[in-house]
Amino acid sequence: MLDVAVIEEPAAAEASLDPIRRRILAALAEPGSAAALAARLGLARQKVNYHLKELERHGLVELAEERRKGNVTERVYRATAASYVISPAVLAAVSPDPARSPDQLSARWLLALGARLVQEVGTLLTGAARAQRRVASFGIDAEVRFASAADRTAFAEGLAEAVAGLVARYHDESAPDGRSHRVVVGLHQIPAAPTAPTAPTAPEDAEAPESAPDTSPDTDFAPDPGPGQENAR
């Protein structure tokens, strides 16, 4: 079983989004038969069998083993991965294109970069799995808490300078056997976790409180970003 599998076919994506099939995929993190799944999920065995065949047809589950019980052969299935990611390639005609409107201060551009990252790495993983090879990659995940918007701006500027310096140092356009790699660095505010309401909803004619906690994202990323730039991070 893979840690993560990338879904690149529209039909497979549609199959994975079906509510019952999502439950079956989650349950098959541990191998199980149709009968065991039916009992665990409270579904009819025939319905489970139908959905298993569809998931198997799209490569989302696979046969783990067959067990002989008297005159009956029990088929045991497992999910092909612990988790799945749907590639933007599924919506190729409308997937975001980072080249369309590059803007370092745009949250939508950052999202487009992320979508391209998922699509390209997904393609590499699919090809590597077929060739039984590994993908050469590198990632950094860190959290930083800024005391002020000015500190955040200074951090972004320093990060951009550092990356530009490294690219200039190691980029070799003339290398005959060189391989192009993509470097993506992003910075965004971490969304606050949703909190459950602690009091009943006020009637419509009740007066609004004088002040309410600010749950909107911090938008003063850089001073005077100029026209057309989304100051969203």
Side-chain angles (χ1 to χ4, degrees):
M1 178 187 290
L2 300 173
D3 291 333
V4 181
V6 181
I7 298 174
E8 297 179 306
E9 297 296 329
E14 183 179 359
S16 70
L17 293 174
D18 178 271
I20 293 178
R21 292 172 192 170
R22 289 205 309 265
R23 294 174 62 195
I24 292 174
L25 279 176
L28 286 179
E30 297 292 335
S33 64
L37 285 170
R40 193 187 315 173
L41 301 177
L43 299 170
R45 180 172 177 175
Q46 286 183 335
K47 178 175 287 190
V48 171
N49 265 322
Y50 167 75
H51 288 297
L52 277 174
K53 289 178 181 178
E54 287 299 300
L55 290 170
E56 184 180 23
R57 185 164 68 91
H58 294 295
L60 300 174
V61 304
E62 61 188 2
L63 183 66
E65 62 174 311
E66 292 184 334
R67 299 169 180 167
R68 188 72 177 176
K69 292 186 175 181
N71 295 327
V72 178
T73 299
E74 184 180 52
R75 295 167 64 87
V76 178
Y77 292 90
R78 66 184 172 200
T80 53
S83 56
Y84 297 87
V85 174
I86 297 178
S87 170
V90 170
L91 298 172
V94 292
S95 61
D97 180 7
R100 190 172 299 145
S101 54
D103 180 354
Q104 286 186 322
L105 299 183
S106 170
R108 289 180 174 83
W109 189 60
L110 180 60
L111 191 62
L113 290 177
R116 184 180 64 186
L117 175 70
V118 171
Q119 182 170 341
E120 291 183 346
V121 175
T123 299
L124 289 173
L125 283 173
T126 300
R130 291 170 181 165
Q132 297 185 336
R133 299 179 63 181
R134 297 185 62 182
V135 175
S137 63
F138 174 73
I140 294 177
D141 179 28
E143 293 183 16
V144 54
R145 186 177 181 88
F146 298 108
S148 66
D151 284 353
R152 184 175 55 192
T153 299
F155 178 90
E157 291 173 350
L159 183 61
E161 290 176 4
V163 172
L166 284 170
V167 170
R169 179 179 177 183
Y170 289 101
H171 179 66
D172 188 348
E173 190 68 37
S174 62
D177 298 323
R179 293 187 177 182
S180 296
H181 290 66
R182 194 180 303 284
V183 180
V184 178
V185 179
L187 176 65
H188 64 86
Q189 184 179 343
I190 300 175
T195 56
T198 57
T201 305
E204 292 183 1
D205 58 351
E207 292 185 3
E210 294 183 2
S211 62
D214 182 11
T215 57
S216 60
D218 191 1
T219 58
D220 55 346
F221 185 83
D224 192 18
Q229 290 183 331
E230 295 176 44
N231 214 0
R233 302 200 304 281

